[in-house]
Amino acid sequence: MAENPETDDTIETTKQNQSEEEVEHSDEQKQEDELRSLLLSDIGDLPLSPPSATQVNFVSYFITDFTKPGHDQYIYRHANGLCVIGLAPTHIAFKDEGGITNIDFNVGKSDRSVLKVSGKRKKNAMRSESNTALCKVSTAKDSYIVRCCVKGSLLEVNERLIKQPQLLNSSADREGYIAIIMPTRPADWTKNKESLITLEEYKAKKEVSL
Amino acid sequence: MADETKPASGDSAGLSNGLVSHGDHKSRRVYQAARSLHSGAVKDLLSLGVCERCIFRLVSVEAFDSDLSSVSASTLRSWLESGDEEAASSEESSCCIVCLGVLQFVFSDAKQTLVRSECGSDYAARVTDLVKEEGHEFDSFGLEVYVPATILENERAVLLYLKGKYNSESWLQSEKISVKDALKVLVLDPLKVSLGAKSDSSSFQIRLTYSKASDEAQGASETTRERKKRKTDEENGSTSMSENSFEKVYEPCILSIHCNKMPIFFSGRYFKYSRNVSQTRWIIDDERMGEASVEVVHLELIGGNILPACLGDSYKFHAAGREDIDVRMLGSGRPFLIEVQNSRKCPSQQSLTEIEEKINKSEKKLVGVKDLKFIGSQCWAMMREGEAEKQKQYAAIVWIARPVEEKDIDSISSLKELKILQKTPVRVLHRRSPLERERTIHWMKVEKIKGSSHYFLLHLCTQAGTYIKEFVHGDLGRTTPSMGSILGCRAEIIQLDVTDVKMGDS
């Protein structure tokens, strides 16, 4: 049964008699206090702004001017090898007035947003090369092709973007991610990595403070 | 029976006299059975080198029973031989060509010493000594016997020969008890006496394994020519025992004894106090794939203390679910089972309590245990109770991008039975199916943390299988709603602890 642990002023009487309930309750209270002190014991200094989940769990890589000038993308690689692909803050599309207004996954030979990848072995995933087209983002002015940057299997595209393209403008590095790709072989990733740059190098190159 | 009358050599009259004065009705039965066997067959088999008890097995019409156990081989032999033959004592010591010494109660032990026993109880005493060396405590046992395949082959050859010669005889038609079963018949009762235990198909097995002494040395396999000859013999029935159709073994078998007790189980709940996060974990070297293993080395403390108390061979640790390596298990503790293989003794509840205290008082305080006890066959049902339908309770320290307000506390606490949709988290997506799972957050409670306006303690009770970390930080928007979407700002999870694993009994 789910119980809501209230603080000591509210006791819910059930079928048990009053005195049993009280003894149990003070035991419970003691246990709760012990638990609370344990819970907070590890904190130490809580930083004002802790690292984000992305920063803790992923290593950030970037690729700049990929196939065309201004086409800057990020590749966040998780410890398990999966790569999250998205638009880097300096992508040329963000410079257009009004930002990105539309995204279309129907590029190349198939619509990437209708993939049905299933099972642990990721059946039916589309195989991608680094320059395989992923989607097309459009602004009032122009449209730009976004590419995979990573050789592997396309596990997922962020179909939320279709209805909410503004996520790309507001949080391209989180909810506005574009796709998740799984490199098929470690050797593929090692080769891929050669064309990528680290966060530090990216910052230096673009002279941007992130 | 040690006082069994030995036959006076060459004097048949003395035999029956000796019997009349000392015998009980068992030996008399055996004597009468011996005298009633087909004398021609008996003579043939004796001259071939078949032992007395095997002759009984193969030639007797009556069932082979335990009465034979107390009669020594030499006495049996004298009863089998017809009056005008000498007791061929010189042949006593040769190995039976069929049972290779097994039914003669002769074997080589581990030190390659030849061990002979006159009767079943003597043999049982030798076996008992060896069993006692293994150190098990038991009050009942099951007996298993393994013998070399050669025995079966040689027996087949002998039976073939008998069929060829005495085809029509009635005693040949009955089913013959195997050497393996015959040994069990002979020694089971004496073993029960000398071990002081009952016999049943119990959790404790004594295995007697006979193996050929010179397995490697001798050419154990037939040549093709021999096999062909054996096949034609089988079809025609041979009137002579050809040397090629069976394997002549000169030495008695080696006997090895192995005792095995079925696994026993202990249950309890464990606590994990260590939060094994290394700051360097996320510096990725590209060879290392997959997240840190959830194997908790510290939990070996529990099994590692129970195993010596049981004098077991090894143990396995089973837990009702598991937590990530950076998550502590507090509160009620998580149910677990320890399975011990081949335990020699079962520790008392007192010793278990002492083990529990020892673990809980240990200096390092990595792991804790409660309710450690012995558990019987209901253990697996108990574990399954921790499965999918049950609820789990957690406490998380959460950070948000703006200061926590009273309205936040209220809005979160007011959410009951909140349904969320979670896509397979990125951190496990490499090894799990990409699915969208609906889960329920039953209730939540927020506690402010003194001195930190951006942090709070979040208590939550959720359906089993809910990814808590992803519910807090949103997993790139793949878990909705999330703490961040509910509060309208970025949220991060700093630490997570499990505070309750609900089972049927709590």
Side-chain angles (χ1 to χ4, degrees):
Chain A
M1 260 190 352
E3 267 192 353
N4 191 350
E6 296 276 51
T7 47
D8 35 10
D9 40 41
T10 323
I11 300 174
E12 274 186 22
T13 5
T14 57
K15 310 157 211 162
Q16 293 171 344
N17 66 47
Q18 190 69 13
S19 58
E20 253 183 49
E21 184 67 33
E22 279 170 4
V23 168
E24 247 192 55
H25 187 75
S26 71
D27 272 346
E28 266 180 43
Q29 189 59 42
K30 235 195 325 178
Q31 278 179 17
E32 262 190 56
D33 292 338
E34 271 180 41
L35 181 58
R36 188 175 296 115
S37 64
L38 257 182
L39 290 173
L40 300 172
S41 65
D42 268 9
I43 301 182
D45 302 310
L46 290 172
L48 191 58
S49 184
S52 72
T54 311
Q55 286 167 319
V56 170
N57 299 327
F58 295 84
V59 173
S60 307
Y61 295 97
F62 293 84
I63 193 160
T64 54
D65 307 315
F66 189 46
T67 71
K68 275 188 176 167
H71 284 55
D72 301 340
Q73 290 174 223
Y74 66 73
I75 296 99
Y76 295 154
R77 181 166 150 95
H78 194 275
N80 62 21
L82 295 182
C83 297
V84 178
I85 313 294
L87 299 180
T90 52
H91 195 280
I92 195 174
F94 295 126
K95 299 198 166 65
D96 292 351
E97 181 101 21
I100 296 174
T101 53
N102 190 50
I103 186 168
D104 186 7
F105 284 104
N106 198 358
V107 295
K109 293 197 185 122
S110 58
D111 189 341
R112 286 41 169 138
S113 65
V114 299
L115 311 161
K116 283 271 190 296
V117 177
S118 64
K120 285 188 197 174
R121 308 233 185 274
K122 317 298 185 283
K123 272 188 349 182
N124 298 335
M126 183 187 98
R127 289 299 175 91
S128 70
E129 297 286 331
S130 60
N131 57 5
T132 307
L134 197 45
C135 65
K136 187 169 68 174
V137 294
S138 316
T139 63
K141 195 173 114 186
D142 205 350
S143 60
Y144 311 88
I145 299 281
V146 180
R147 299 187 189 272
C148 292
C149 305
V150 174
K151 178 174 173 187
S153 302
L154 180 62
L155 297 189
E156 175 181 309
V157 300
N158 187 359
E159 73 276 349
R160 273 170 300 270
L161 294 175
I162 299 174
K163 292 239 173 80
Q164 299 177 281
Q166 67 274 19
L167 285 173
L168 286 160
N169 300 315
S170 60
S171 45
D173 64 335
R174 281 169 63 103
E175 287 81 9
Y177 79 95
I178 294 186
I180 302 180
I181 297 181
M182 179 166 82
T184 21
R185 278 188 298 269
D188 290 338
W189 168 252
T190 321
K191 190 143 179 288
N192 248 136
K193 211 170 128 188
E194 287 163 19
S195 29
L196 306 179
I197 57 176
T198 65
L199 178 59
E200 300 308 317
E201 291 165 337
Y202 172 74
K203 280 194 211 169
K205 188 167 183 185
K206 295 286 170 167
E207 288 166 356
V208 176
S209 61
L210 288 160
Chain B
M1 283 162 51
D3 57 350
E4 191 59 48
T5 317
K6 289 267 193 282
S9 51
D11 180 6
S12 56
L15 294 170
S16 9
N17 281 346
L19 246 194
V20 164
S21 49
H22 293 278
D24 56 30
H25 81 284
K26 276 190 199 172
S27 334
R28 196 167 349 191
R29 267 196 63 223
V30 175
Y31 171 76
Q32 282 167 353
R35 301 310 297 155
S36 72
L37 297 182
H38 190 286
S39 54
V42 170
K43 208 160 43 161
D44 275 342
L45 292 180
L46 280 174
S47 64
L48 280 175
V50 179
C51 77
E52 301 77 17
R53 297 189 182 101
C54 279
I55 292 177
F56 249 89
R57 274 195 312 123
L58 299 173
V59 183
S60 176
V61 180
E62 289 167 23
F64 187 88
D65 65 26
S66 54
D67 288 347
L68 271 161
S69 176
S70 45
V71 182
S72 74
S74 46
T75 308
L76 263 182
R77 190 177 202 93
S78 64
W79 293 349
L80 285 172
E81 284 159 345
S82 45
D84 51 300
E85 258 184 65
E86 288 187 343
S89 44
S90 59
E91 290 205 47
E92 257 184 81
S93 42
S94 80
C95 198
C96 171
I97 63 165
V98 175
C99 72
L100 311 184
V102 173
L103 293 181
Q104 294 170 295
F105 297 144
V106 178
F107 60 85
S108 272
D109 67 7
K111 305 185 200 87
Q112 298 186 326
T113 323
L114 214 57
V115 179
R116 291 178 186 282
S117 307
E118 287 290 305
C119 57
S121 31
D122 192 12
Y123 175 87
R126 304 305 197 119
V127 170
T128 301
D129 290 339
L130 293 168
V131 167
K132 290 228 156 81
E133 277 173 26
E134 302 261 321
H136 289 82
E137 285 174 8
F138 56 95
D139 50 19
S140 69
F141 69 96
L143 184 64
E144 294 173 356
V145 176
Y146 288 82
V147 296
T150 309
I151 287 183
L152 226 61
E153 289 160 18
N154 289 4
E155 178 165 309
R156 200 185 304 137
V158 168
L159 279 172
L160 226 50
Y161 162 72
L162 289 176
K163 278 196 169 82
K165 210 169 166 190
Y166 304 102
N167 196 20
S168 51
E169 299 283 341
S170 59
W171 53 264
L172 202 47
Q173 313 308 326
S174 56
E175 184 84 18
K176 306 301 174 192
I177 189 175
S178 68
V179 170
K180 206 158 60 165
D181 292 334
L183 184 66
K184 285 193 207 173
V185 165
L186 293 175
V187 307
L188 192 60
D189 286 337
L191 265 180
K192 277 153 64 172
V193 169
S194 69
L195 290 172
K198 299 190 294 259
S199 124
D200 60 17
S201 57
S202 76
S203 55
F204 177 65
Q205 293 292 321
I206 297 176
R207 189 187 324 155
L208 308 176
T209 307
Y210 283 90
S211 44
K212 281 194 292 190
S214 45
D215 231 326
E216 312 85 53
Q218 242 174 344
S221 49
E222 300 176 289
T223 63
T224 327
R225 208 154 52 91
E226 288 165 358
R227 197 168 22 248
K228 278 195 184 149
K229 175 126 205 313
R230 178 163 66 79
K231 279 207 153 70
T232 32
D233 284 347
E234 279 181 36
E235 283 153 35
N236 303 335
S238 50
T239 48
S240 65
M241 265 302 271
S242 70
E243 286 297 312
N244 283 340
S245 60
F246 76 96
E247 192 181 327
K248 192 89 168 88
V249 175
Y250 298 94
E251 291 152 37
C253 293
I254 301 174
L255 173 63
S256 62
I257 296 186
H258 180 72
C259 300
N260 189 62
K261 172 114 174 111
M262 297 296 282
I264 58 174
F265 295 86
F266 300 91
S267 70
R269 281 180 178 250
Y270 76 80
F271 305 92
K272 177 161 82 88
Y273 302 117
S274 76
R275 195 194 296 287
N276 203 352
V277 183
S278 115
Q279 290 307 315
T280 58
R281 176 162 67 125
W282 303 116
I283 293 174
I284 296 173
D285 56 84
D286 287 297
E287 281 72 52
R288 191 172 70 84
M289 301 288 277
E291 34 174 29
S293 162
V294 301
E295 226 71 78
V296 185
V297 174
H298 313 306
L299 290 174
E300 284 175 14
L301 265 179
I302 305 174
N305 273 291
I306 292 178
L307 185 66
C310 298
L311 297 174
D313 285 349
S314 61
Y315 74 91
K316 289 185 194 162
F317 180 84
H318 310 277
R322 59 179 184 210
E323 56 283 331
D324 286 348
I325 202 167
D326 60 342
V327 172
R328 293 183 300 180
M329 181 70 234
L330 308 174
S332 66
R334 186 182 298 276
F336 68 86
L337 282 183
I338 301 260
E339 177 187 337
V340 180
Q341 269 79 28
N342 206 10
S343 57
R344 305 305 195 276
K345 66 179 218 188
C346 192
S348 61
Q349 185 56 53
Q350 173 72 17
S351 351
L352 290 176
T353 311
E354 283 167 20
I355 290 174
E356 202 180 296
E357 280 174 20
K358 176 182 168 195
I359 294 172
N360 292 336
K361 288 195 167 56
S362 102
E363 210 182 273
K364 281 202 179 147
K365 209 74 169 96
L366 298 167
V367 165
V369 179
K370 84 170 185 198
D371 294 344
L372 184 62
K373 61 182 195 282
F374 180 82
I375 189 169
S377 49
Q378 69 271 32
C379 55
W380 295 113
M382 185 207 82
M383 291 299 277
R384 272 195 296 277
E385 281 198 41
E387 292 301 291
E389 328 84 52
K390 296 306 176 184
Q391 299 176 359
K392 310 283 157 69
Q393 212 166 301
Y394 302 86
I397 294 186
V398 177
W399 173 92
I400 54 172
R402 57 164 176 75
V404 182
E405 293 160 39
E406 278 305 313
K407 67 171 170 71
D408 299 324
I409 300 181
D410 296 335
S411 62
I412 292 170
S413 314
S414 65
L415 293 167
K416 304 285 182 213
E417 306 304 318
L418 173 70
K419 291 236 188 301
I420 67 174
L421 272 177
Q422 300 196 285
K423 285 196 162 161
T424 307
V426 178
R427 66 184 164 97
V428 300
L429 187 54
H430 64 295
R431 61 177 165 83
R432 291 199 70 183
S433 292
L435 292 175
E436 195 155 33
R437 299 175 179 87
E438 189 187 86
R439 290 286 182 263
T440 306
I441 313 269
H442 299 291
W443 52 257
M444 288 187 277
K445 184 186 156 211
V446 173
E447 271 184 50
K448 281 172 129 173
I449 295 179
K450 280 210 187 84
S452 305
S453 54
H454 288 247
Y455 289 86
F456 60 89
L457 189 55
L458 175 68
H459 296 273
L460 56 165
C461 177
T462 74
Q463 185 182 354
T466 309
Y467 289 93
I468 308 299
K469 293 174 185 169
E470 278 68 19
F471 170 66
V472 173
H473 62 61
D475 194 30
L476 306 173
R478 297 164 76 259
T479 289
T480 51
S482 67
M483 201 83 265
S485 69
I486 293 170
L487 295 176
C489 62
R490 183 161 72 101
E492 304 288 355
I493 184 167
I494 307 306
Q495 112 185 354
L496 180 62
D497 295 320
V498 188
T499 54
D500 199 353
V501 174
K502 295 190 199 293
M503 302 275 279
D505 59 348
S506 57

